Amino acid sequence: MTDDSNPTDNGVVILVGSGQRAYREYLLAGAARRRPIWILDAAEPTWQQEYVLGSTTVELLDRARLVPDTEGLIKAAEAVAAEHRVVGVFSYDETLVVTTALIAERLGLPGLTSRGADNCRNKHNTRQLLTAAGLPQPRFAYVTDAGTALATADSFGYPVVLKPRGMGASIGVIRVDGPEGIREAFEVADAAGRGGNSDYEGGVLVEECVMGPEISIDGAVFDGAWTPLFLAHKEVGLAPYFEETGHVVSATDPLLADEELLGVLRDAHRELGIGYGITHTEVKLTGRGPVIIEVNARLGGDLIPYLGSLATGVQPGEIAADLAAGVRPEWTPAESRTVGIRFLYPPENGTVRSVDVPAPADVPGLLETNVMVAPGATLLLPPEGYLSRYANLICAGESFPSCEESLAKAAALTTIVLAG
């Protein structure tokens, strides 16, 4: 352990897993503005040090599959609590949300509840609970072999979606348009599930392919009551896979006041048993109304909460720290604009030779350009690899069309060269 100063009277909040700097630093910085942070992580801190009171390193049980040492992390949290007044614990890492909830229960702290976290983590549980509650869901079935997957898909009608029951970031999720593609899709989804935590491996969800625009909503849950924070419109690509290629957030999105949508989400969070924290829910807007695709027991990825902060001035890291401590968060928007991000993928598998991005001054509304890989990196498209992005671009505008126009111009000025 390291400990360089004494905690303030606000008490210490434990963060389980600090994440990749490019995607999560702004959240750690925000949480640290609110309360002293102690991190439990699988590696010694580097860039995190300026934001934290101290740290404890607990190595993963299986680094390849990102399996946490749950008992080790609980013991580490108990050791921190023996030396400091710990008032909360949270995580924004999908692989650590159940462990984090168990820590909260062991220490008697507010949290998502282990039941709520597992109900979100296990997509089969999510489907069963929300369907039983009469909330809008795709038709679904959990299958353990390709033959049953085919029979199920035939009964649903095509297209269908096959997915693992315990992965994130759309890894292993694939659309199938006819019976001839089911066996290969089952193998892809099943193999992806065996690359994550063994608690969720084996078997595949076969689901009705729900048609309509897709959105995501990050919301705050306080004592079981859910309130929206940011709403993003999602762009996907690399069909038949569902790689997320971009998101756009507007501070004045009328969907934030849509009572049908909000009512469905409030009910879903109550049925899943979530107590305190920030969740990330994905929804399809269909002809029959909003249909929940999944509820994640953590803040959104892909820098969506960062887009929300740029669009509204509201700081999600600060809100997460308050919720972890059982404090009802308060936020007042300081900005009102539309902000979007575009993730760029290579045209084919290959090794990166160079990436060039425009400067913000080159495109009206362009806020940031970020190269995400170094020369020599190998990028593999699905199903060989996922999230193989080489750059991201962030733009702001007065409306969705102006933001999308800026993103398109910036993407046209970005180039990648792959080794031949």
Side-chain angles (χ1 to χ4, degrees):
M1 293 188 183
T2 62
D3 183 3
D4 298 324
S5 62
N6 293 320
T8 70
D9 291 339
N10 284 336
V12 174
V13 167
I14 294 174
L15 172 63
V16 186
S18 57
Q20 298 179 37
R21 185 175 194 175
Y23 284 103
R24 296 306 200 182
E25 182 175 13
Y26 73 100
L27 292 173
L28 177 53
R33 287 194 296 270
R34 188 65 79 202
R35 280 177 175 77
I37 303 296
W38 193 287
I39 56 173
L40 308 182
D41 222 334
E44 292 290 330
T46 53
W47 61 268
Q48 303 95 330
Q49 287 180 326
E50 66 175 292
Y51 303 112
V52 302
L53 170 69
S55 68
T56 308
T57 300
V58 181
E59 294 186 1
L60 295 169
L61 292 179
D62 186 332
R63 183 166 293 277
R65 301 183 68 168
L66 301 178
V67 178
D69 180 354
T70 295
E71 284 305 314
L73 287 165
I74 292 173
K75 290 179 180 178
E78 289 177 322
V80 176
E83 297 180 6
H84 303 284
R85 188 171 69 90
V86 173
V87 296
V89 57
F90 75 108
S91 180
Y92 37 66
D93 187 321
E94 177 75 12
T95 66
L96 293 167
V97 293
V98 174
T99 296
T100 301
L102 291 170
I103 290 172
E105 291 174 354
R106 181 71 64 88
L107 297 183
L109 301 171
L112 293 164
T113 75
S114 58
R115 169 179 169 266
D118 188 63
N119 284 340
C120 293
R121 186 92 169 86
N122 187 327
K123 308 308 179 191
H124 187 214
N125 284 0
T126 305
R127 287 280 181 262
Q128 290 178 304
L129 288 166
L130 298 188
T131 298
L135 291 168
Q137 296 276 279
R139 288 179 295 166
F140 72 96
Y142 173 66
V143 303
T144 57
D145 62 83
T148 308
L150 176 59
T152 301
D154 285 345
S155 70
F156 285 172
Y158 295 89
V160 293
V161 174
L162 275 66
K163 63 172 64 171
R165 62 192 173 99
M167 298 296 285
S170 299
I171 293 173
V173 182
I174 182 170
R175 170 176 164 155
V176 185
D177 292 326
E180 65 282 353
I182 289 293
R183 183 168 298 277
E184 181 180 354
F186 177 87
E187 292 173 356
V188 168
D190 185 61
R194 296 179 189 280
N197 193 314
S198 58
D199 289 346
Y200 306 101
E201 77 174 6
V204 165
L205 285 174
V206 180
E207 298 183 352
E208 168 195 10
C209 186
V210 180
M211 301 300 184
E214 187 167 354
I215 61 172
S216 66
I217 308 95
D218 282 52
V221 187
F222 181 84
D223 196 19
W226 178 90
T227 304
L229 288 171
F230 314 117
L231 189 149
H233 293 255
K234 180 189 295 188
E235 299 172 355
V236 298
L238 280 68
Y241 303 95
F242 291 84
E243 289 283 309
E244 299 180 8
T245 58
H247 308 272
V248 181
V249 176
S250 174
T252 58
D253 197 313
L255 288 172
L256 288 168
D258 185 310
E259 276 305 317
E260 181 184 14
L261 171 63
L262 300 183
V264 166
L265 295 176
R266 291 188 195 104
D267 290 346
H269 283 76
R270 183 185 65 250
E271 293 296 330
L272 293 172
I274 298 168
Y276 294 81
I278 295 182
T279 63
H280 178 75
T281 306
E282 297 178 351
V283 175
K284 283 284 189 77
L285 304 177
T286 77
R288 69 180 196 246
V291 175
I292 294 174
I293 302 302
E294 61 185 45
V295 181
N296 298 285
R298 53 165 173 78
L299 279 154
D302 275 0
L303 294 169
I304 294 172
Y306 181 58
L307 301 184
S309 69
L310 293 175
T312 67
V314 175
Q315 300 302 317
E318 296 179 6
I319 293 172
D322 281 345
L323 288 166
V327 174
R328 185 184 297 275
E330 297 181 1
W331 61 87
T332 302
E335 297 281 352
S336 183
R337 57 181 177 172
T338 300
V339 181
I341 190 167
R342 180 75 53 83
F343 293 101
L344 302 182
Y345 288 74
E348 58 189 9
N349 294 345
T351 301
V352 176
R353 179 173 291 172
S354 65
V355 175
D356 290 306
V357 295
D362 294 338
V363 178
L366 183 58
L367 301 179
E368 298 181 25
T369 58
N370 301 293
V371 176
M372 303 178 71
V373 294
T378 298
L379 298 179
L380 300 175
L381 299 174
E384 288 84 8
Y386 298 91
L387 300 176
S388 292
R389 300 154 169 176
Y390 66 85
N392 69 64
L393 314 166
I394 300 176
C395 293
E398 295 181 354
S399 64
F400 281 93
S402 65
C403 191
E404 291 285 3
E405 181 180 359
S406 294
L407 288 170
K409 288 180 178 178
L413 295 174
T414 304
T415 61
I416 182 171
V417 176
L418 299 175

